[in-house]
Amino acid sequence: MTSLPCPSRPRGFTLLELLVVMVIIGLLAGYVGPKFFGQIGKSEVKAARAQVDALSKALDQYRLDVGRYPSTEQGLAALVLKPADEPRWGGPYLSKALPKDPWGNDYQYRSPGDHGDYDLLSLGRDGRPGGDGEDADITSW
């Protein structure tokens, strides 16, 4: 009688090999994670600056049409919806709805402003005046 060769059994990973892989993945995540999430915060600040710039341009266009900037009471909504008392309004001055800042807060607008014809700002990540880094205010002046 001939004996049939026994098929070799597939060999799995040992517990030690799995632990080594988990440690390597943990080290990589610990090194790359903070750098990655730091970039996210920087991109939110850049997005807020871009939005402040776009809103400033829309406010300037409003001023060219109407002859003055929207009042504080009218607010930034005057860039999207025609105020009842503005016959020369030529908007809407924004192609989309009025944006919130990257942290979900409304932009602050005052006219006349303390720093020019108007003040336009985002209060940053913390939503409070002042701050450093991502918590710093993003302003139009």
Side-chain angles (χ1 to χ4, degrees), residues 21-74:
V21 169
M22 295 298 287
V23 167
I24 291 171
I25 290 173
L27 289 172
L28 286 173
Y31 179 72
V32 174
K35 293 182 183 287
F36 175 74
F37 289 114
Q39 293 300 318
I40 291 174
K42 289 179 185 176
S43 66
E44 288 173 333
V45 170
K46 288 179 184 178
R49 285 191 181 124
Q51 286 178 333
V52 165
D53 185 54
L55 289 170
S56 295
K57 289 177 182 170
L59 285 165
D60 291 339
Q61 185 63 46
Y62 180 99
R63 182 177 174 267
L64 287 173
D65 288 351
V66 175
R68 62 175 180 76
Y69 290 105
S71 66
T72 301
E73 293 76 29
Q74 290 172 323

Side-chain angles (χ1 to χ4, degrees), residues 79-111:
L79 298 174
V80 180
L81 300 171
K82 179 181 180 187
D85 57 345
E86 295 295 352
R88 297 186 340 205
W89 188 83
Y93 299 96
L94 296 174
S95 59
K96 297 180 180 177
L98 191 61
K100 290 191 176 285
D101 72 12
W103 302 279
N105 301 315
D106 291 328
Y107 283 97
Q108 307 292 311
Y109 173 76
R110 288 184 297 273
S111 179

